[in-house]
Amino acid sequence: LGRSLQDAVIYELHVGGFTRHPSAGVTAPGTFRGLAEKIPYLQSLGVTDVELLPVFAFDSQDVPAATAAIGLHNFWGYSPVSFFAPHRAYAASEDPRREFRDMVKALHAVGIGVILDVVLNHTAEGGADGPTIGYKGLFNELFYLLDTKDRTKYLDFTGCGNTISSNQPLVAQWLVEALRFWAVEMHVDGFRFDLAGVLSRDEAGKPLPHAPVIAAIEHAAGLADAHLIAEAWDAGGLYQVGSFPGFRWAEWNGRYRDAVRRFLRGDPGHLGELATRIAGSSDLYAWAGKLPQNSINFVTCHDGFTLYDLVSYDRKHNSANGEHNRDGRDENLSWNSGVEGATDDPEILRLRAQRARNFM
């Protein structure tokens, strides 16, 4: 669609989950076709873009052993195995690529852009004890960051066992070609880069001030009009909100998220920061000549609490996935509005609904 992000209202959704419940009323639940059937609903919300959680072919078996033992599979898709293929289970037809393109065309026809959440920081092959699916067998020493003293060990800046060596020249070219495929052949409008801090790390894992792959993505033919949105941190402690390398990149503003959550929880002393965040976070972006539109303002996402959780729980209760509540952040800057979890108290339900609207 060739639009700027300046007036974007981005709706993050999961293709497999968005239409899975019978209340969605679609003929092909959990698929690209099913998503296309919900376009009138998306129009009614007034969103300008949908941001699809990972749609690259991923390993549905990539879960902890305790999770597999209770019969669960990988749901979120942050375990890619093929960067040039739509996830087969998300297609109602025998032609996932055509079905994906038909969905994009249908969204574009009503003026809704399509942004992909892309995982270019690790794969489902994990660390030394992980499976060999493709990249380990083809070019392990080029593709992954390895310990310089012991090449059998994988450097892990992702929390997933391995880290793609994104600034190795051949790998960098390959990543750019993957993005070009989705932009040119599949017609998407842009990308949100999961744990994008990894893209700035060199082959020894050290951060670079001018990472070649970041510049290559900015200047690649076919990507000139693509939205580039960085999750400007990684699991190795790198936090680059306000300082992500490159000029075109927008950033998920985690500082905005936390300031709004603290303020609407009632924490004192946050009015000044809240004003700065709503006014465009000039403290983060103006020094580098960037604009308010370089900031993607958000309050909730696929990580941590949903908006409903944010007004209903003081702490996480992840008991159904076999990980014994060890996964996810412990501090979500939330407030349960007076009762932890489910309640039939009409006054608390009213307060929760009001607080959800306050966040919006």
Side-chain angles (χ1 to χ4, degrees):
L1 296 176
R3 279 195 312 244
S4 148
L5 283 174
Q6 181 164 328
D7 298 313
V9 180
I10 302 171
Y11 187 101
E12 186 188 60
L13 64 86
H14 182 282
V15 173
F18 184 58
T19 60
R20 188 170 67 171
H21 193 272
S23 64
V26 300
T27 60
T31 66
F32 302 125
R33 184 184 297 169
L35 172 55
E37 292 182 60
K38 298 299 290 186
I39 287 175
Y41 169 71
L42 293 168
Q43 286 181 281
S44 75
L45 296 177
V47 301
T48 64
D49 299 85
V50 291
E51 182 175 298
L52 307 183
L53 271 66
V55 298
F56 290 4
F58 66 87
D59 182 7
S60 62
Q61 300 178 88
D62 186 19
V63 292
T67 304
I70 57 177
L72 298 179
H73 295 86
N74 187 301
F75 175 76
W76 295 106
Y78 289 84
S79 299
V81 295
S82 181
F83 289 51
F84 289 81
H87 189 56
R88 179 66 186 84
Y90 289 169
S93 67
E94 294 301 313
D95 191 342
R97 288 169 66 158
R98 179 179 293 278
E99 186 174 325
F100 181 90
R101 280 195 292 252
D102 287 346
M103 175 199 70
V104 173
K105 289 176 183 176
L107 286 160
H108 282 174
V110 298
I112 296 177
V114 179
I115 300 169
L116 298 188
D117 188 342
V118 293
V119 184
L120 307 187
N121 57 75
H122 76 282
T123 75
E125 292 187 306
D129 58 347
T132 297
I133 299 172
Y135 309 105
K136 283 183 177 178
L138 288 170
F139 42 28
N140 183 67
E141 295 230 344
L142 290 181
F143 195 75
Y144 294 115
L145 296 182
L146 304 177
D147 189 317
T148 55
K149 295 179 181 176
D150 183 351
R151 305 293 284 175
T152 68
K153 295 180 179 178
Y154 292 78
L155 300 182
D156 184 5
F157 297 106
T158 66
C160 300
N162 66 51
T163 307
I164 293 175
S165 183
S166 51
N167 283 294
Q168 199 287 334
L170 288 175
V171 178
Q173 181 179 351
W174 184 81
L175 294 176
V176 170
E177 286 304 312
L179 296 173
R180 279 172 41 81
F181 164 75
W182 288 96
V184 176
E185 301 294 331
M186 306 298 271
H187 310 299
V188 305
D189 298 87
F191 307 94
R192 177 265 184 191
F193 294 78
D194 181 64
L195 296 183
V198 164
L199 297 177
S200 70
R201 292 187 182 271
D202 66 15
E203 292 178 62
K206 291 188 168 40
L208 294 163
H210 305 290
V213 74
I214 292 175
I217 291 168
E218 277 197 303
H219 301 299
L223 300 180
D225 294 323
H227 304 315
L228 305 177
I229 302 171
E231 183 183 37
W233 54 84
D234 65 19
L238 195 58
Y239 192 80
Q240 298 170 304
V241 173
S243 60
F244 190 78
F247 190 77
R248 278 182 56 205
W249 294 71
E251 302 167 8
W252 267 26
N253 192 339
R255 297 274 297 276
Y256 180 99
R257 173 199 62 205
D258 294 347
V260 174
R261 288 188 181 193
R262 288 190 176 102
F263 179 76
L264 290 181
R265 185 170 67 173
D267 293 8
H270 294 283
L271 184 60
E273 185 181 9
L274 180 76
T276 299
R277 299 290 157 249
I278 291 176
S281 295
S282 60
D283 60 330
L284 299 178
Y285 299 107
W287 68 272
K290 296 183 179 181
L291 302 171
Q293 71 191 55
N294 287 100
S295 171
I296 303 295
N297 299 332
F298 72 107
V299 175
T300 61
C301 66
H302 62 273
D303 286 325
F305 279 10
T306 65
L307 182 60
Y308 181 81
D309 294 336
L310 206 56
V311 299
S312 305
Y313 296 94
D314 282 351
R315 60 190 185 279
K316 61 185 173 69
H317 300 268
N318 295 345
S319 57
N321 61 10
E323 295 195 57
H324 308 293
N325 208 36
R326 291 177 306 209
D327 56 322
R329 294 178 59 178
D330 288 313
E331 177 52 86
N332 283 278
L333 304 175
S334 61
W335 175 45
N336 64 21
S337 306
V339 171
E340 186 74 359
T343 180
D344 56 6
D345 185 321
E347 185 55 31
I348 289 179
L349 293 174
R350 184 207 62 78
L351 176 60
R352 287 177 178 175
Q354 179 63 60
R355 293 184 60 220
R357 291 193 294 271
N358 292 348
F359 274 110
M360 294 301 292

Coordinates of all heavy atoms in Angstrom, one line a residue, residues 159-222:
G159 N 17.7 -17.0 24.1 CA 16.9 -17.8 25.0 C 16.4 -19.1 24.4 O 15.6 -19.8 25.0
C160 N 16.8 -19.4 23.2 CA 16.2 -20.5 22.4 C 17.3 -21.5 22.0 O 17.0 -22.4 21.2 CB 15.4 -20.0 21.2 SG 14.1 -18.9 21.6
G161 N 18.5 -21.4 22.6 CA 19.5 -22.4 22.3 C 20.5 -22.0 21.2 O 21.7 -22.5 21.3
N162 N 20.1 -21.2 20.2 CA 21.1 -20.8 19.2 C 20.8 -19.4 18.8 O 19.8 -18.8 19.2 CB 21.0 -21.8 18.0 CG 19.7 -21.7 17.3 OD1 19.2 -20.6 16.9 ND2 19.1 -22.9 17.0
T163 N 21.8 -18.8 18.1 CA 21.6 -17.4 17.5 C 22.1 -17.4 16.1 O 23.3 -17.9 15.8 CB 22.5 -16.5 18.4 OG1 22.2 -16.6 19.7 CG2 22.2 -15.0 17.9
I164 N 21.3 -16.9 15.2 CA 21.7 -16.8 13.8 C 22.9 -15.8 13.6 O 22.8 -14.7 14.2 CB 20.5 -16.5 12.9 CG1 19.5 -17.6 12.9 CG2 21.0 -16.1 11.5 CD1 18.3 -17.3 12.1
S165 N 23.9 -16.2 12.9 CA 25.0 -15.2 12.7 C 24.6 -14.3 11.5 O 25.1 -14.4 10.4 CB 26.3 -16.0 12.3 OG 27.4 -15.2 12.1
S166 N 23.8 -13.3 11.9 CA 23.1 -12.5 10.8 C 24.1 -11.6 10.1 O 23.7 -11.1 9.0 CB 22.0 -11.7 11.5 OG 22.4 -11.0 12.6
N167 N 25.3 -11.3 10.7 CA 26.2 -10.4 10.0 C 27.3 -11.2 9.3 O 28.3 -10.6 8.7 CB 26.8 -9.4 10.9 CG 25.8 -8.3 11.2 OD1 25.4 -7.5 10.3 ND2 25.3 -8.2 12.4
Q168 N 27.2 -12.5 9.2 CA 28.1 -13.3 8.3 C 27.6 -13.0 6.9 O 26.4 -13.0 6.6 CB 28.0 -14.8 8.7 CG 29.1 -15.6 8.2 CD 29.1 -15.9 6.7 OE1 28.0 -15.8 6.0 NE2 30.3 -16.1 6.1
P169 N 28.5 -12.6 6.0 CA 28.1 -12.0 4.7 C 27.1 -12.9 3.9 O 26.1 -12.4 3.4 CB 29.4 -11.9 3.9 CG 30.4 -11.7 5.0 CD 30.0 -12.5 6.1
L170 N 27.3 -14.2 3.8 CA 26.4 -15.1 3.1 C 25.0 -15.2 3.8 O 24.0 -15.2 3.2 CB 27.0 -16.5 2.9 CG 28.1 -16.6 1.9 CD1 28.7 -18.0 1.9 CD2 27.7 -16.2 0.5
V171 N 25.1 -15.3 5.1 CA 23.8 -15.3 5.9 C 23.0 -14.0 5.8 O 21.8 -14.0 5.6 CB 24.1 -15.7 7.4 CG1 22.8 -15.7 8.2 CG2 24.9 -17.0 7.5
A172 N 23.8 -12.9 5.9 CA 23.1 -11.6 5.7 C 22.4 -11.5 4.4 O 21.2 -11.0 4.3 CB 24.1 -10.5 5.9
Q173 N 23.0 -11.9 3.3 CA 22.4 -11.9 2.0 C 21.2 -12.8 1.9 O 20.2 -12.5 1.4 CB 23.4 -12.4 0.9 CG 22.9 -12.3 -0.5 CD 23.9 -12.8 -1.5 OE1 25.1 -12.9 -1.2 NE2 23.5 -12.9 -2.8
W174 N 21.3 -14.0 2.6 CA 20.2 -14.9 2.6 C 19.0 -14.3 3.3 O 17.8 -14.5 2.9 CB 20.7 -16.2 3.2 CG 19.7 -17.3 3.3 CD1 19.4 -18.2 2.3 CD2 18.9 -17.7 4.4 NE1 18.4 -19.1 2.7 CE2 18.1 -18.8 4.0 CE3 18.8 -17.2 5.7 CZ2 17.3 -19.5 4.9 CZ3 17.9 -17.9 6.6 CH2 17.2 -19.0 6.1
L175 N 19.2 -13.7 4.5 CA 18.1 -13.0 5.2 C 17.5 -11.9 4.4 O 16.2 -11.8 4.4 CB 18.7 -12.5 6.5 CG 19.2 -13.5 7.6 CD1 19.8 -12.8 8.8 CD2 18.1 -14.5 8.0
V176 N 18.2 -11.1 3.7 CA 17.7 -10.1 2.9 C 16.8 -10.7 1.8 O 15.7 -10.2 1.5 CB 18.8 -9.2 2.3 CG1 18.2 -8.3 1.2 CG2 19.5 -8.4 3.4
E177 N 17.3 -11.8 1.2 CA 16.5 -12.4 0.1 C 15.2 -13.0 0.6 O 14.2 -13.0 0.0 CB 17.3 -13.6 -0.5 CG 18.4 -13.0 -1.5 CD 17.9 -12.1 -2.5 OE1 16.9 -12.5 -3.2 OE2 18.5 -11.0 -2.7
A178 N 15.2 -13.5 1.9 CA 14.0 -14.0 2.5 C 13.0 -12.8 2.6 O 11.8 -13.0 2.3 CB 14.3 -14.6 3.8
L179 N 13.4 -11.7 3.1 CA 12.5 -10.5 3.3 C 12.0 -10.1 1.9 O 10.9 -9.7 1.7 CB 13.3 -9.4 4.0 CG 13.7 -9.7 5.4 CD1 14.6 -8.6 6.0 CD2 12.5 -9.9 6.3
R180 N 12.9 -10.1 0.9 CA 12.5 -9.6 -0.5 C 11.4 -10.6 -1.0 O 10.5 -10.2 -1.7 CB 13.7 -9.6 -1.4 CG 14.6 -8.4 -1.3 CD 15.9 -8.5 -2.1 NE 15.7 -9.2 -3.4 CZ 15.2 -8.5 -4.5 NH1 14.9 -7.3 -4.4 NH2 15.1 -9.2 -5.6
F181 N 11.6 -11.9 -0.7 CA 10.6 -12.8 -1.2 C 9.2 -12.5 -0.6 O 8.2 -12.4 -1.4 CB 10.9 -14.2 -0.7 CG 9.8 -15.2 -0.8 CD1 9.4 -15.7 -2.0 CD2 9.1 -15.6 0.4 CE1 8.3 -16.6 -2.1 CE2 8.1 -16.5 0.3 CZ 7.7 -17.0 -0.9
W182 N 9.1 -12.2 0.7 CA 7.8 -11.9 1.3 C 7.3 -10.5 0.8 O 6.0 -10.3 0.7 CB 7.9 -11.9 2.8 CG 8.0 -13.3 3.3 CD1 9.2 -14.0 3.6 CD2 7.0 -14.3 3.5 NE1 8.9 -15.3 4.0 CE2 7.6 -15.5 3.9 CE3 5.6 -14.3 3.3 CZ2 6.8 -16.7 4.2 CZ3 4.9 -15.4 3.6 CH2 5.5 -16.6 4.0
A183 N 8.1 -9.6 0.5 CA 7.7 -8.2 0.1 C 7.3 -8.2 -1.4 O 6.3 -7.7 -1.8 CB 8.8 -7.2 0.4
V184 N 8.2 -8.9 -2.2 CA 8.0 -8.8 -3.7 C 7.0 -9.9 -4.2 O 6.1 -9.6 -5.0 CB 9.3 -8.9 -4.4 CG1 9.2 -8.9 -5.9 CG2 10.3 -7.8 -4.0
E185 N 7.2 -11.1 -3.7 CA 6.4 -12.2 -4.2 C 5.1 -12.4 -3.5 O 4.1 -12.8 -4.0 CB 7.2 -13.5 -4.1 CG 8.5 -13.5 -4.9 CD 8.3 -13.4 -6.4 OE1 7.2 -13.9 -6.9 OE2 9.1 -12.8 -7.1
M186 N 5.1 -12.1 -2.2 CA 3.9 -12.3 -1.3 C 3.2 -11.0 -1.0 O 2.1 -11.0 -0.3 CB 4.3 -13.1 -0.1 CG 5.1 -14.4 -0.3 SD 4.1 -15.6 -1.3 CE 3.3 -16.4 0.1
H187 N 3.8 -9.9 -1.3 CA 3.1 -8.5 -1.3 C 2.8 -8.0 0.1 O 2.0 -7.1 0.2 CB 1.8 -8.6 -2.1 CG 1.9 -9.2 -3.5 ND1 2.7 -8.7 -4.4 CD2 1.4 -10.3 -4.0 CE1 2.7 -9.4 -5.5 NE2 1.9 -10.4 -5.3
V188 N 3.6 -8.4 1.1 CA 3.4 -7.8 2.4 C 3.9 -6.4 2.5 O 4.8 -6.0 1.7 CB 4.0 -8.7 3.5 CG1 3.4 -10.1 3.5 CG2 5.5 -8.6 3.5
D189 N 3.5 -5.6 3.5 CA 3.8 -4.2 3.6 C 5.0 -3.9 4.5 O 5.5 -2.8 4.5 CB 2.6 -3.4 4.1 CG 1.4 -3.6 3.1 OD1 0.6 -4.5 3.3 OD2 1.3 -2.7 2.3
G190 N 5.4 -4.9 5.3 CA 6.5 -4.6 6.2 C 6.7 -5.8 7.1 O 6.0 -6.8 7.1
F191 N 7.6 -5.5 8.1 CA 8.1 -6.6 9.0 C 8.3 -6.0 10.4 O 8.8 -4.9 10.6 CB 9.4 -7.2 8.5 CG 9.4 -7.6 7.0 CD1 9.8 -6.8 6.0 CD2 8.9 -8.9 6.7 CE1 9.7 -7.2 4.7 CE2 8.8 -9.3 5.4 CZ 9.2 -8.5 4.4
R192 N 8.0 -6.8 11.4 CA 8.4 -6.6 12.7 C 9.4 -7.6 13.1 O 9.2 -8.8 13.0 CB 7.2 -6.6 13.7 CG 7.5 -6.5 15.2 CD 7.6 -7.8 15.8 NE 7.8 -7.7 17.3 CZ 8.2 -8.7 18.0 NH1 8.4 -9.9 17.5 NH2 8.4 -8.6 19.3
F193 N 10.6 -7.2 13.5 CA 11.7 -8.1 13.7 C 11.8 -8.6 15.2 O 12.1 -7.7 16.0 CB 13.0 -7.5 13.2 CG 13.1 -7.2 11.8 CD1 12.4 -6.1 11.2 CD2 13.8 -8.0 10.9 CE1 12.4 -5.8 9.9 CE2 13.8 -7.8 9.6 CZ 13.2 -6.7 9.0
D194 N 11.6 -9.8 15.4 CA 11.6 -10.4 16.8 C 13.1 -10.3 17.3 O 14.0 -10.7 16.6 CB 11.1 -11.8 16.7 CG 11.1 -12.5 18.1 OD1 10.4 -12.0 18.9 OD2 11.9 -13.5 18.2
L195 N 13.3 -9.9 18.5 CA 14.6 -9.8 19.1 C 15.6 -9.2 18.2 O 16.7 -9.8 17.9 CB 15.1 -11.2 19.6 CG 14.2 -11.8 20.8 CD1 14.9 -13.1 21.2 CD2 14.1 -10.9 22.0
A196 N 15.3 -8.0 17.6 CA 16.1 -7.5 16.6 C 17.5 -7.1 17.0 O 18.4 -6.8 16.2 CB 15.4 -6.2 16.0
G197 N 17.7 -7.0 18.4 CA 19.1 -6.7 18.8 C 20.1 -7.7 18.3 O 21.3 -7.3 18.1
V198 N 19.7 -8.9 18.0 CA 20.6 -9.9 17.5 C 21.2 -9.5 16.1 O 22.3 -9.8 15.8 CB 19.8 -11.3 17.3 CG1 20.6 -12.2 16.4 CG2 19.6 -11.9 18.7
L199 N 20.4 -8.7 15.4 CA 20.8 -8.3 14.1 C 22.0 -7.3 14.1 O 22.7 -7.1 13.1 CB 19.7 -7.5 13.3 CG 18.5 -8.4 13.0 CD1 17.4 -7.5 12.3 CD2 18.9 -9.6 12.1
S200 N 22.3 -6.8 15.3 CA 23.4 -5.9 15.4 C 24.7 -6.5 16.0 O 25.7 -5.9 16.2 CB 23.1 -4.7 16.3 OG 22.9 -5.1 17.7
R201 N 24.6 -7.8 16.2 CA 25.7 -8.6 16.8 C 26.7 -9.1 15.7 O 26.2 -9.6 14.7 CB 25.3 -9.7 17.7 CG 24.6 -9.2 19.0 CD 24.2 -10.3 19.9 NE 23.5 -9.9 21.1 CZ 24.1 -9.5 22.3 NH1 25.5 -9.5 22.3 NH2 23.4 -9.2 23.3
D202 N 28.0 -9.0 16.0 CA 28.9 -9.6 15.0 C 29.1 -11.1 15.2 O 28.4 -11.7 15.9 CB 30.3 -8.8 15.1 CG 31.0 -9.0 16.4 OD1 30.7 -10.0 17.1 OD2 32.0 -8.3 16.7
E203 N 30.1 -11.6 14.4 CA 30.2 -13.1 14.4 C 30.8 -13.6 15.8 O 30.7 -14.8 16.0 CB 31.1 -13.5 13.3 CG 30.4 -13.3 11.9 CD 31.3 -13.7 10.8 OE1 31.7 -14.9 10.7 OE2 31.7 -12.8 10.0
A204 N 31.2 -12.7 16.6 CA 31.6 -13.1 18.0 C 30.5 -12.8 19.0 O 30.7 -13.1 20.2 CB 32.9 -12.5 18.4
G205 N 29.4 -12.2 18.5 CA 28.3 -11.9 19.4 C 28.4 -10.5 20.0 O 27.5 -10.1 20.8
K206 N 29.4 -9.7 19.6 CA 29.5 -8.3 20.2 C 28.7 -7.4 19.3 O 28.6 -7.5 18.1 CB 31.0 -7.9 20.2 CG 31.8 -8.7 21.2 CD 33.2 -8.1 21.3 CE 34.0 -8.6 22.4 NZ 33.8 -10.0 22.7
P207 N 28.0 -6.4 20.0 CA 27.2 -5.4 19.3 C 28.0 -4.5 18.3 O 29.1 -4.1 18.7 CB 26.5 -4.6 20.4 CG 26.6 -5.4 21.6 CD 27.9 -6.2 21.4
L208 N 27.5 -4.2 17.2 CA 28.2 -3.4 16.2 C 27.4 -2.0 16.1 O 26.2 -2.0 16.0 CB 28.2 -4.0 14.8 CG 29.0 -5.3 14.6 CD1 28.6 -6.0 13.3 CD2 30.5 -4.9 14.5
P209 N 28.1 -0.9 16.0 CA 27.4 0.4 15.9 C 26.7 0.5 14.5 O 25.7 1.2 14.4 CB 28.4 1.4 16.2 CG 29.7 0.7 15.8 CD 29.5 -0.7 16.2
H210 N 27.3 -0.1 13.5 CA 26.8 0.0 12.1 C 26.8 -1.5 11.6 O 27.7 -1.8 10.8 CB 27.7 0.9 11.3 CG 27.8 2.3 11.8 ND1 26.8 3.2 11.9 CD2 28.9 2.9 12.4 CE1 27.2 4.3 12.5 NE2 28.5 4.1 12.8
A211 N 25.8 -2.2 11.9 CA 25.7 -3.6 11.5 C 25.4 -3.7 10.0 O 24.4 -3.2 9.6 CB 24.7 -4.3 12.4
P212 N 26.2 -4.5 9.3 CA 26.0 -4.6 7.8 C 24.6 -5.1 7.5 O 24.0 -4.6 6.5 CB 27.1 -5.6 7.4 CG 28.1 -5.5 8.4 CD 27.4 -5.2 9.7
V213 N 24.0 -6.1 8.2 CA 22.8 -6.7 7.8 C 21.6 -5.6 8.0 O 20.7 -5.6 7.2 CB 22.4 -8.0 8.5 CG1 22.1 -7.7 10.0 CG2 21.3 -8.7 7.8
I214 N 21.7 -4.8 9.0 CA 20.7 -3.8 9.2 C 20.7 -2.8 8.0 O 19.7 -2.4 7.5 CB 20.9 -3.1 10.6 CG1 20.6 -4.1 11.7 CG2 20.0 -1.9 10.7 CD1 20.9 -3.6 13.1
A215 N 21.9 -2.3 7.6 CA 22.0 -1.4 6.5 C 21.6 -2.1 5.2 O 20.9 -1.5 4.4 CB 23.5 -0.9 6.4
A216 N 21.9 -3.4 5.0 CA 21.5 -4.1 3.8 C 20.0 -4.2 3.7 O 19.4 -4.1 2.6 CB 22.1 -5.5 3.8
I217 N 19.3 -4.4 4.8 CA 17.9 -4.5 4.8 C 17.3 -3.1 4.5 O 16.3 -3.0 3.7 CB 17.3 -5.0 6.2 CG1 17.7 -6.5 6.4 CG2 15.8 -4.8 6.3 CD1 17.5 -7.0 7.8
E218 N 17.8 -2.1 5.1 CA 17.3 -0.7 4.8 C 17.4 -0.4 3.3 O 16.5 0.3 2.8 CB 18.2 0.3 5.6 CG 17.7 0.5 7.0 CD 18.3 1.8 7.6 OE1 19.5 1.9 7.7 OE2 17.5 2.6 8.1
H219 N 18.5 -0.8 2.7 CA 18.8 -0.3 1.3 C 18.5 -1.3 0.2 O 18.7 -1.1 -1.0 CB 20.2 0.1 1.2 CG 20.6 1.2 2.2 ND1 20.0 2.5 2.1 CD2 21.5 1.3 3.2 CE1 20.5 3.2 3.1 NE2 21.4 2.5 3.8
A220 N 17.9 -2.5 0.6 CA 17.7 -3.6 -0.4 C 16.6 -3.2 -1.4 O 15.6 -2.6 -1.1 CB 17.3 -4.8 0.3
A221 N 16.9 -3.5 -2.7 CA 15.9 -3.4 -3.7 C 14.7 -4.2 -3.3 O 14.8 -5.4 -2.9 CB 16.5 -3.8 -5.0
G222 N 13.5 -3.6 -3.5 CA 12.3 -4.3 -3.2 C 11.8 -4.1 -1.7 O 10.7 -4.4 -1.4

